[in-house]
Structures are given as C-alpha cells and as structure tokens.
C-alpha cells in the first residue's frame, strides 16, 4: 500500500511544477504584452555573449564561496562534513531550488545528502538553519543600506510603506516568538523518548553554533559578499542593457525583488522577480523594457547556473564512495 502512494505523490509533484512553470510563462506573457518589444530586443542585442558568460562564471564563483560558508557553519554545529560532501549538498540544493515543486526544495536536497553523509544529522539540520538565518541577515543588511542611502530619492509614499512593512515584519516576528513560547509545552508534551532525544541533539548542535560568534560573524560577512556579488552582477547586466542606475537604488530594490520571488506562485520565482523589479525601479526613472531585459538575462544566468550545479552534484555523487549501511 505504501508503495502505491509514491506514484501519486510523484505525479502531484510534477503537476505542481507544471502549474508553476505555466504561471511563470503567464506572468512573463503579461509583461511582454504591456511593454514595447522593440526596446527589449535592442537591450538584448547590446549584451555580448562574452559578457553573459563572464557574469555566469562569477556567479558560479560566488556560489563556491557559498559552499565554503555552508561547510563552515554546519561543521561549527558538529556535522563533520568534508568539502566534497558539502559541495554535493550545496549544488544539489541549488538545482532543486529551480526544479523541485516546493519553495524549500533546495533545502530538502541539501539536507537529504547531508543527513546521509554526516555522523551527526542533527548538526546538519541546525547548521543549515543557522546558514539560512545568515543569508536572510545579509539580504536585510543590503536592503537597510539601500534604504538609508535613499532618503531623498525615495518617494514619500514609498518611505511610509517601507516603514509600515518593517513594523509589520517586526510585529509578526514578535508574535511568532510569543506563540513558540506559549505552545512549547503543549507541542512537546507526550512526545516519545526518541523524539525528545533527537530534539535534544538538535538543540545541542544549535547551541554549538551560537557559542561560536566568530563563525557566525564570518558566515554573515561571507553571506553579505555572496549576496552583494549577485546584486552587483545584476547591475552589471543592466548597464550592458543600457540601464544606468545608482548602486544605492539596486541596494534598495534588488533584495525586495528577491524576497518577492520567494512567493510560491511560479517555479523558482521566475516572472515574479522580474515583475517586482520593474515595479520597484520604475519610480527611479528606470525604463521598464530595459529593467525586464536585465531581469530576464539574470534569470538566464540563474537557470544556467542551476543546470551546471545539478551536473556538478551528479558528478560528485558518482565520485563519492558508497555509504555502508549496517
């Protein structure tokens, strides 16, 4: 009976993927319908293939730094993973983010490999959670820097909306913390001894990371460098398309567009990211066709990088020694 459910789950997953790709095409189709095509084609023509390939190369280099950061954080939790295993986890996760049905599909692959390779699975879970927190903190720092540098350029309505959004975010975070404290005992009460042992290992691993502030600080700096390089590469593509904007504008708009792409509407946020970028950059005088061209070219870099990462994960898996099961 259990095996009979697997085809149903697989077909449901492929249906979700198909629907999200269809939604991405619909969003892009709407953008193409309302925006003039001629400037878009001209913007694409301005970008030589060498520029695209060089951006792709540095995009992959930035993710190599991301692999080192992820390994540093999970090993600080006690995962004891070598670089090859961490590279397989990370590249597999990068591929899964684009081509799996869930918005956390990349983390599922990353953890699935790490849990099999590490002698301390709880450390992989705790380290991955800490690494995600550092990534969010890095993107938040970029947005905050852009917000601080744009008091005169940002419309008054946008400043008010940004302050309200920040207040709502802080309120939701506070509510989440309070609910966790209130529901802690009811949720954990009556659990099995095995579950409590696993939870204790997870808490110990999380504590191991929190007791190493230098690792957290270095992880945040590396995360800032990785996210900042993505922002800079996007701006570089935009310059090639003919879109010239101050870097502080990108610091404000790019993290928000990436946050919008996390909405589970399209596969990998394709289409949503471009639409958000067009809307966010319009008040700063950015021509919508040029913004869309830059966003689509960056999307091409991300998709190409995800495919290369998937190939790398496959090759790393082939080269790894099989795990012996007792």
């Amino acid at each position: 009976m259990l095996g009979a459910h697997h085809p149903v789950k697989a077909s449901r997953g492929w249906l979700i993927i198909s629907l999200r790709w269809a939604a991405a095409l619909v969003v892009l189709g709407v953008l193409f319908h309302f925006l003039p095509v001629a400037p878009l084609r001209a913007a694409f023509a301005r970008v030589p293939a060498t520029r695209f390939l060089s951006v792709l190369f540095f995009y992959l280099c930035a993710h190599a730094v991301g692999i080192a950061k992820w390994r540093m954080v999970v090993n600080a939790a006690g995962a004891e993973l070598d670089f090859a295993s961490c590279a397989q986890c990370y590249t597999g996760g990068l591929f899964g983010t684009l081509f799996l049905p869930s918005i956390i599909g990349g983390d599922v692959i990353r953890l699935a490999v790490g849990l099999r390779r590490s002698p301390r699975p709880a450390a992989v879970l705790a380290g991955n959670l800490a690494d995600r927190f550092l990534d969010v903190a890095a993107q938040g720092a970029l947005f905050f820097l852009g917000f601080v540098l744009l008091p005169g350029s940002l419309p008054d309505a946008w400043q008010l909306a940004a302050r309200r959004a920040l207040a709502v975010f802080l309120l939701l975070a506070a509510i989440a913390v309070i609910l966790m404290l209130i529901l802690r005992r009811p949720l954990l009460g009556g659990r099995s001894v095995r579950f409590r042992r696993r939870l204790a290992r997870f808490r110990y691993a999380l504590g191991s990371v929190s007791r190493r502030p230098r690792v957290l600080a270095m992880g945040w700096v590396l995360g800032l460098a990785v996210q900042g390089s993505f922002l800079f590469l996007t701006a570089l593509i935009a310059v090639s398309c003919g879109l010239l904007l101050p870097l502080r504008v990108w610091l404000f708009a790019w993290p928000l567009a990436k946050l919008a792409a996390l909405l589970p509407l399209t596969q990998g946020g394709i289409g949503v990211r471009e639409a958000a970028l067009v809307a966010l950059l319009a008040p700063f005088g950015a021509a919508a066709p040029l913004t869309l061209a830059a966003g689509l070219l960056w999307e091409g870099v991300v998709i190409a990088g995800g495919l290369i990462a998937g190939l790398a994960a496959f090759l790393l898996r082939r080269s790894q020694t099989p795990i012996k099961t007792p």
Side-chain angles (χ1 to χ4, degrees), residues 39-112:
L40 190 63
R41 290 178 177 174
F44 283 138
R46 292 192 192 102
V47 183
T50 53
R51 174 60 59 88
F52 181 87
L53 293 176
S54 62
V55 169
L56 175 60
F57 172 76
F58 286 110
Y59 173 79
L60 295 174
C61 289
H63 276 300
V65 176
I67 294 173
K69 175 178 69 74
W70 192 79
R71 180 176 183 242
M72 179 184 68
V73 176
V74 296
N75 281 348
E80 298 182 11
L81 289 172
D82 57 18
F83 188 82
S85 297
C86 289
Q88 183 185 350
C89 295
Y90 190 96
T91 53
L94 194 61
F95 176 82
T97 300
L98 284 175
F99 301 104
L100 284 184
S102 172
I103 58 174
I104 58 171
D107 285 296
V108 170
I109 291 185
R110 188 180 297 185
L111 292 174

Side-chain angles (χ1 to χ4, degrees), residues 16 19-21 23-24 27 97-98 100-105 139 172 255-277 280 299:
I16 294 174
L19 290 176
R20 287 185 176 171
W21 276 109
V27 174
T97 300
L98 284 175
L100 284 184
S102 172
I103 58 174
I104 58 171
Q139 291 189 44
L172 291 177
L256 292 179
K258 190 168 184 179
L259 181 64
L262 295 178
L263 296 174
L265 302 176
T266 64
Q267 191 64 24
I270 298 173
V272 175
R273 185 186 296 108
E274 289 72 33
L277 206 57
L280 289 167
E299 200 69 68

Side-chain angles (χ1 to χ4, degrees), residues 213-232:
R214 291 184 180 179
V215 171
L216 291 176
M218 179 58 68
W220 178 78
V221 171
L222 291 177
L224 194 62
V226 171
Q227 298 299 325
S229 65
F230 294 160
L231 185 151
F232 179 78

Side-chain angles (χ1 to χ4, degrees), residues 3-316:
H5 292 288
H6 290 305
V8 176
K9 291 182 179 180
S11 61
R12 185 181 302 170
W14 282 111
L15 177 61
I16 294 174
I17 293 176
S18 301
L19 290 176
R20 287 185 176 171
W21 276 109
L25 293 176
V26 168
V27 174
L28 293 176
V30 171
L31 290 173
F32 284 128
H33 176 74
F34 286 102
L35 296 179
V37 178
L40 190 63
R41 290 178 177 174
F44 283 138
R46 292 192 192 102
V47 183
T50 53
R51 174 60 59 88
F52 181 87
L53 293 176
S54 62
V55 169
L56 175 60
F57 172 76
F58 286 110
Y59 173 79
L60 295 174
C61 289
H63 276 300
V65 176
I67 294 173
K69 175 178 69 74
W70 192 79
R71 180 176 183 242
M72 179 184 68
V73 176
V74 296
N75 281 348
E80 298 182 11
L81 289 172
D82 57 18
F83 188 82
S85 297
C86 289
Q88 183 185 350
C89 295
Y90 190 96
T91 53
L94 194 61
F95 176 82
T97 300
L98 284 175
F99 301 104
L100 284 184
S102 172
I103 58 174
I104 58 171
D107 285 296
V108 170
I109 291 185
R110 188 180 297 185
L111 292 174
V113 178
L115 294 177
R116 289 189 293 110
R117 294 288 175 184
S118 173
R120 295 182 175 87
V124 178
L125 291 171
N128 188 73
L129 179 63
D131 183 76
R132 280 303 186 190
F133 174 79
L134 293 174
D135 285 340
V136 172
Q139 291 189 44
L142 291 175
F143 168 74
F144 181 76
L145 180 60
F147 184 74
V148 168
L149 294 176
L150 280 175
S153 304
L154 197 63
D156 294 337
W158 283 55
Q159 293 189 45
L160 180 61
R163 292 192 184 99
R164 288 179 177 175
L166 180 60
V168 170
F169 174 78
L170 294 176
L171 178 62
L172 291 177
I175 292 175
V177 172
I178 293 173
L179 288 176
M180 288 177 62
L181 293 175
I182 294 175
L183 299 177
R184 179 182 176 185
R185 289 185 178 277
L187 290 176
L188 298 180
R191 296 288 183 176
S192 65
V193 176
R194 185 179 182 183
F195 175 82
R196 289 179 176 273
R197 285 177 180 173
R198 290 179 175 177
L199 182 61
R201 294 191 190 104
F202 176 78
R203 293 176 60 185
Y204 178 80
L206 204 58
S208 298
V209 181
S210 63
R211 287 190 295 269
R212 302 185 67 177
R214 291 184 180 179
V215 171
L216 291 176
M218 179 58 68
W220 178 78
V221 171
L222 291 177
L224 194 62
V226 171
Q227 298 299 325
S229 65
F230 294 160
L231 185 151
F232 179 78
L233 291 172
T234 305
L236 185 62
I237 288 180
V239 171
S240 299
C241 292
L243 179 61
L244 302 177
L245 291 172
L247 187 60
R248 63 181 181 270
V249 174
W250 287 104
L251 286 169
F252 170 77
W254 190 86
L256 292 179
K258 190 168 184 179
L259 181 64
L262 295 178
L263 296 174
L265 302 176
T266 64
Q267 191 64 24
I270 298 173
V272 175
R273 185 186 296 108
E274 289 72 33
L277 206 57
V278 169
L280 289 167
L281 293 180
F284 303 101
L290 300 183
T291 304
L292 180 58
L296 290 176
L297 286 170
W298 176 251
E299 200 69 68
V301 170
V302 173
I303 293 175
L307 292 173
I308 294 173
L311 176 61
F314 174 76
L315 295 176
L316 286 167

